[in-house]
Amino acid sequence: MREIAGIVGGFGLGLASFAVGGGLIRAEPSGGERAAESGAAVAVALAPSAAAGQAPASLDDRWDDDSSLPAHAERVASYTLVARLDPKAHEVEATGTIRWTNTSRVPQQELWLHLYLNAFKNERTLYMRTPGSGFRGGGTLADWGSISVVRLRARELEADLWPPADAPIDPLGDETDVRVPLPRAVAPGESLTLEVAFRAHLPSISLRTGHFEAFHMVAQWFPKLARLEADGRWAHFPFTRFSEFYADFGAYDVTVDVPAGFVVGATGRRTSFASGGGREVSRFVQDDVHDFAFAAWDGFREKATTVDGVQLRCLYPAGYDRAADVEIEAARFGLGHLGAAYGRYPYETLTIVHPPDGADEAGGMEYPTLITTGGPWYLPWTPVRFLELITVHELAHQWFYGLVATDEHRSPFLDEGLTSYAESEAMEAWYPGSSAGELLGLRVGVPATYRIGGLSALHDGTVARGADEFATGSEYGSLVYGRTATLLTTLGRTFGPERLRRALGRYARSQRFAHPGPEALLAALRESIGPEAEAVARAVLFDGAWVDYRVDSFASSRPSRPAGIFGDPTSPSAAPAPRGGNRWFGDVLVRRRGTLALPVEVELTATDGSVQRVAWDAGQPFARLPYEGSAALASAAVDPNHAALLSSDLLDDAKGGGGVVAPRVLELGGFVAAALIHAAAP
Amino acid sequence: MDEDLDETVRPSASARPGWVFGFYAFRAIAGLAVAAPLAIEVGVLVSRLPRGDAVLFDAGGEVLLDVVRKGHQAAPAIAAGAGIGLLVAAFVGLAPLAALLVAIGHRGALPLRVVAARSARALGTLSLLWGLALFTQAVTAALVHFGWGRVVTSFGWAPPRDNLARVAGVVVVVALALGIGVAHDLARVVAVDELRGTYLAMARAIEVVRARPGRVLASYAARASLAAGALAVGVALAARVGHATAPRFALSAIAHQASLLVAVALRASWLAAAMRHARATPPET
């Protein structure tokens, strides 16, 4: 096999130039439509999109390790709450304070509060009105949920702020996003202390929160300030089916009061515990986070260990011991691997909650220092690594959501997409080639599953959209999770995994405790990999760019004397002797469909087994790649290693196979069928 | 166990290796026939790829999932075809089974026309017995499964207790199905060896089971367990060897087929043992 001499040309170059057999061969430009097609593809690849408006971050190699990591986040919105859970009424009554600072450049005449639990209040809420096929939260509510603010008083302003002067903005009555006018403007840098009292009634388990029998997942349960951007704009939104959250960092100090016998898993470290009067009271404290959730159940079993100074705790139902072991092992691996890639995990605790059967809607979710998993107890004995996947995925959210606190409503791909990639990369490092599962010699990796997922909505719109701009849950999942993860895998395979790792590492470290937008990610790709990588990412994310490669045909032959008339037609001379001796010459017609131009390799295999690999920049929609070798061409394959995993069809990437029966499938299927006949019809 | 028969009339599978191999060959070919539509569908999908379906076994499974994605629309038709194919193969398989039973119950030279004649005479009875056994197994399985399912549901247990209780129900269903299968085998043996009709063959099967339950169970369980083990070993070996290259593919195919051959031989051995039990049990009717 010959090595690639190098990709010459790059994006938009008219000629694909590559070295074969030591000589420089130029692939001729082909076709009159080339210019238009090429122009379209390059324009897609290189034109900045207006959809991404954030300023790029400035990155350098100090972000290649943890030495420059910020120790703490700016305290913008800090909560001190005392919460009492009544598991029979499924209610939480709480009082406390919210300390908020105006960190924007603009005086603020109002606050915006998220009252997420009101999404489950009645059938007129935005959440209930939105069809949500293909995603979580689609079940029928057996018990409505709501949150009632009893008191909201601004201490410094000596003003009661509740009830708000404004009715909810939704004309049909959604009460999840509420404007709270202030009696006077709060200047930049000025702080407010809000005294708050509220009663939260948890719904039957739905969309990450609620109750199932005695199990309670208490999430999105308190009045939560929207995030105030630096330009004075409140990033507030009503709670929709596909949307997650967005908030400022702060310090959380939450005291949880539950009936005796209930085990509580919560955000942060437990600093005190007291019991008496049939109640148990725990105090949880955590700095540098932007949310707080807790699970309480009298059926939890518990395993605990310490990993690199992090107290790891797993709460799970009886009979799930093996599942808990797997999840702890996955967290142990993930803390090390993800910490090395994206900056060390900065908290002292990590709690894993495996909800009981029937409370699956609480599973598969991330909160600061607390993640929920899920799945049946027998999963450890199946060939699918679901428990490892879900644990590593939710753990990866500690970086992409937790520490890099992007706007999950406006740009869900920044948290779910990057997390899916981080999960995929970590799982492949753990179980190379079979990270999703393995059965009967068939091995499936997570990148392949995300690729397939991302293809299901390939032409249904762009990735970079707000969570409320997706038509269905399956479209949301396909593009946000699958397409983004596949994009990043493609960048790694095309431009080098170390360069991508450096780019994402710099992005994650430099944006720790920050709220970056898409431009910061694109800047990291540009500065660490190059403008080509940024262009590809921008095209895929913002313009729905796609690509498919195909080998159309190939041919080769030995030179022969040319036919025709040579010399004087009335007295023709002999045809010139063929050049090249016993060498074989030919060409391969390759095509690149779609609006994305990714450079790929083309593998040419001769009948004597010799292999040549040449580079094709794919700048044109097609190219004829010349061939010269010691034997006839037997096959040709574009991108044989599937570096361009974004390619929408891998089955037409080559030509030169034979036969219409798959022998291995025939043998394996025949054996399985014979065994079935033996077992079931003796 | 069943050595109380005179050696000259003692049925033996090991004495008829050719017929045993023929029975295995039928099973293997029937399996290939059932799998052929799937192999063709996949073959067409990967026909452009130089390594053909070897890429399905590559680490990562990227092409594998693409084949699943592009072939899933044909899956219902292929699955239905495979199900019907399995039933047809099982039914057609009664003919080689009858021939095998004739062969292992006979000592000395065995002309093909004798085998054909005796097999043909028993085919009607074997067909009826097969249908009755299938029906009985299905009804028993449905009754136990759904009845037990309701009982388990009424307990309101949480997993894993709930799942384990249901698995226990499945184990009972399988055990009952196997028990019916054992009686079915005894009836089939009697139908061929004693040329009995359907009713009398069933009655004789019950007689044999009642006369020597422990011996019958031990004969069956030992061979069935070994056969299951052989198949499991074949699967594990083939998976370990892999299918990436032609030599590995050949090795894994050999592992599969060898394990299938062993399983078929053990099944033939069980049928011979069943025949010995039947011959050792004098008929009451």
Side-chain angles (χ1 to χ4, degrees), chain A residues 428 431-435 441-445 448 493 642, chain B residues 51 54-63:
Chain A
E428 275 294 293
Y431 296 104
S434 63
S435 51
L442 299 168
R443 292 165 291 169
V444 176
R493 292 185 183 183
H642 309 308
Chain B
R51 289 173 53 225
V55 296
L56 303 181
F57 297 88
D58 284 352
E62 284 148 11
V63 175

Side-chain angles (χ1 to χ4, degrees), chain B residues 142-158:
Chain B
L143 285 175
V144 174
H145 180 71
F146 292 113
W148 180 239
R150 285 193 168 198
V151 170
V152 173
T153 302
S154 71
F155 290 151
W157 287 334

Side-chain angles (χ1 to χ4, degrees), chain A residues 318 357 377 433 440 443 445 448 451 493 551 648-650 654-657 660 662-665 667-671 678 681-682, chain B residues 27 31 35 39-40 47-50 53 57 59-62 65-66 69-70 90 159-160 163 188 235 243 253 256 260 263 267:
Chain A
D357 185 58
W377 60 276
L440 294 176
R443 292 165 291 169
R451 173 181 173 272
R493 292 185 183 183
V551 175
S648 54
D649 186 352
L650 301 181
K655 195 170 178 66
V660 293
R664 290 163 180 82
V665 175
E667 191 280 319
L668 187 57
F671 170 73
H678 183 84
Chain B
R27 286 268 164 94
I40 292 171
S47 61
R48 297 176 64 93
L49 306 180
D53 68 346
F57 297 88
E62 284 148 11
L65 291 198
D66 232 15
R69 178 175 68 100
K70 298 189 85 171
N163 300 135
R188 294 201 282 198
V235 168
H243 300 72
H256 280 153
L260 190 62
R267 169 137 191 83

Side-chain angles (χ1 to χ4, degrees), chain A residues 556-579:
Chain A
S556 62
S557 63
R558 276 192 175 130
S560 58
R561 286 183 182 275
I565 302 169
F566 296 90
D568 183 354
T570 59
S571 176
S573 57
R579 286 184 295 180

